[in-house]
Amino acid sequence: MFLDLKDPWPPAPPNRQPEPAPRLTPRRQRIVVVLVAINLVMMLIGPLAGSSVIEGLVHVFR
């Protein structure tokens, strides 16, 4: 997919001002940092936990 900026549809009104980007409060910044940290930890631990569960099932049914 691509974004065509040459011919937008529907055409924007001529006096439209771009909306400013929303600012995060310090509390919301901390929440975002915590969520990103949790996701990174899960990315590192997930494959290890999954492989140990599979290995345990192989040993149980052997």
Side-chain angles (χ1 to χ4, degrees):
M1 301 302 295
F2 63 93
L3 178 62
D4 185 11
L5 297 176
K6 291 183 228 167
D7 188 22
W9 183 259
N15 58 357
R16 180 176 171 205
Q17 297 293 325
E19 296 179 12
R23 304 291 295 173
L24 291 178
T25 62
R27 179 174 185 265
R28 289 186 178 178
Q29 286 178 357
R30 282 194 307 272
I31 291 171
V32 169
V33 168
V34 167
L35 289 175
V36 168
I38 290 171
N39 283 324
L40 289 174
V41 168
M42 290 299 185
M43 281 177 44
L44 293 173
I45 292 177
L48 297 174
S51 64
S52 63
V53 168
I54 291 170
E55 188 177 334
L57 291 174
V58 167
H59 286 292
V60 166
F61 292 113
R62 205 179 250 188

